[in-house]
Amino acid sequence: MSQLPADQPHAIPPRRLVLVGPPGVGKGTMSALLKERLGLRTLSSGEIFRHEIEMQTDLGRMAKRYIDHGELVPNGVTIEMMSKQLHDPQIKQSGFVLDGFPRTVKQAEALDEVLFELEQGLDKVVSLEVPQEVIVQRLTGRIGCTKCGEIYHSKNKPPKREGVCDRCNSPLFVREDDRPETIRERIRVFWETTAPVIEYYAKTSTLQRVDASHGPENTYAAICS
Ligand code: AMP
């Protein structure tokens, strides 16, 4: 393994991260890479909601009403759900990457409070950015694995066998909220409600804007730089 000379500074990878960005920008792909390579725990609010829906819990039933319309699930339940996840003692060891949370300034303020309580700070908030036409193109045709979360695309990255995950052989699925009219609503909600979260972090934390249009490896390298 190559080693850097002792006198040369090298980057220490971030251990507590937030990924912010519009739907389809690649937050899921990036958090999977950060998990695989740095061992960080990924906490995706969207994934957790989808799991609750699959389990047909009360929270899942309630969240589905909003998710199916491309709207945000109310702050109260979302904050409570994510706070519970962050209180897991193992998180302190593993570090974490938050994918899709916070999505409102209220959630960002609540996250600050939870992390203060836990005596942990954020190393980095990454705003992933790509042109809007790329987002629509990526979301239309997106296919995900029901088990490992690997993401494919019908044109750009098709699985080797149709409907089956290359990595774990589980069935693939198209998200209900990846229909064109719901995609438009999710993008609108992002600009109205989530874009101010980026401004919030520009003032209060370590914000890094990353151009995510040059593929996952370049994006990953920029995050770890
Ligand atoms: P995602 O998988 O991150 O694209 O999230 C899918 C859907 O789950 C979103 O369109 C919202 O309806 C809901 N959702 C996910 N995260 C949040 C959040 N932090 N606050 C409110 N709703 C959320």
Side-chain angles (χ1 to χ4, degrees), residues 143-173:
I143 315 165
C145 176
T146 46
K147 191 160 173 219
C148 74
E150 181 74 358
I151 296 159
Y152 300 87
H153 190 276
S154 56
K155 281 207 195 95
N156 306 342
K157 190 190 166 194
K160 290 196 186 88
R161 273 190 301 150
E162 199 182 324
V164 182
C165 180
D166 295 349
R167 285 175 67 179
C168 70
N169 283 324
S170 301
L172 301 178
F173 78 115

Side-chain angles (χ1 to χ4, degrees), residues 23 27 44-47 49-50 66-67 70-74 78 99-103 107 142 175 177 186:
K27 299 188 295 293
S44 155
S45 41
E47 279 293 324
F49 283 134
R50 280 188 287 281
Y66 296 90
I67 293 174
E71 293 163 15
L72 293 186
V73 179
T78 307
D99 157 9
F101 179 88
R103 255 177 160 99
Q107 291 178 12
R142 181 162 77 167
R175 278 171 49 173
D177 57 348
R186 288 163 63 206

Side-chain angles (χ1 to χ4, degrees), residues 3-221:
Q3 289 208 323
L4 286 168
D7 59 345
Q8 194 173 319
H10 55 277
I12 299 169
R15 310 247 0 123
R16 290 185 293 258
L17 278 145
V18 169
L19 299 181
V20 199
V25 77
K27 299 188 295 293
T29 303
M30 210 36 55
S31 45
L33 273 185
L34 288 159
K35 177 183 180 181
E36 189 182 302
R37 297 185 184 171
L38 302 180
L40 305 183
R41 172 86 73 88
T42 53
L43 296 176
S44 155
S45 41
E47 279 293 324
I48 301 170
F49 283 134
R50 280 188 287 281
H51 179 72
E52 295 286 331
I53 292 170
E54 205 183 314
M55 294 292 123
Q56 302 187 359
T57 63
D58 287 345
L59 173 60
R61 268 189 284 275
M62 190 275 277
K64 188 171 168 26
R65 294 207 299 270
Y66 296 90
I67 293 174
D68 282 356
H69 294 101
E71 293 163 15
L72 293 186
V73 179
N75 280 327
V77 278
T78 307
I79 290 167
E80 197 186 322
M81 176 180 91
M82 295 307 282
S83 167
K84 214 185 272 172
Q85 298 277 339
L86 284 161
H87 275 86
D88 178 343
Q90 300 241 308
I91 291 267
K92 205 160 195 168
Q93 294 291 319
S94 63
F96 59 80
V97 47
L98 289 172
D99 157 9
F101 179 88
R103 255 177 160 99
T104 65
V105 171
K106 193 119 198 120
Q107 291 178 12
E109 288 166 351
L111 175 62
D112 279 350
E113 280 170 29
V114 171
L115 292 177
F116 181 75
E117 233 175 73
L118 294 170
E119 297 178 356
Q120 294 182 41
L122 289 174
D123 293 335
K124 226 178 224 196
V125 176
V126 178
S127 167
L128 296 174
E129 302 178 357
V130 297
Q132 179 124 327
E133 58 275 16
V134 177
I135 286 173
V136 176
Q137 194 258 343
R138 277 189 193 171
L139 288 176
T140 324
R142 181 162 77 167
I143 315 165
C145 176
T146 46
K147 191 160 173 219
C148 74
E150 181 74 358
I151 296 159
Y152 300 87
H153 190 276
S154 56
K155 281 207 195 95
N156 306 342
K157 190 190 166 194
K160 290 196 186 88
R161 273 190 301 150
E162 199 182 324
V164 182
C165 180
D166 295 349
R167 285 175 67 179
C168 70
N169 283 324
S170 301
L172 301 178
F173 78 115
V174 176
R175 278 171 49 173
E176 284 261 353
D177 57 348
D178 277 349
R179 283 171 287 130
E181 63 282 13
T182 320
I183 290 172
R184 274 195 296 278
E185 177 61 9
R186 288 163 63 206
I187 292 172
R188 193 194 64 74
V189 167
F190 171 80
W191 287 112
E192 193 178 291
T193 315
T194 308
V197 172
I198 299 169
E199 297 315 312
Y200 175 86
Y201 283 122
K203 286 187 210 128
T204 63
S205 191
T206 326
L207 179 75
Q208 183 190 12
R209 293 179 192 272
V210 173
D211 178 356
S213 49
H214 303 295
E217 287 301 336
N218 286 317
T219 308
Y220 179 82

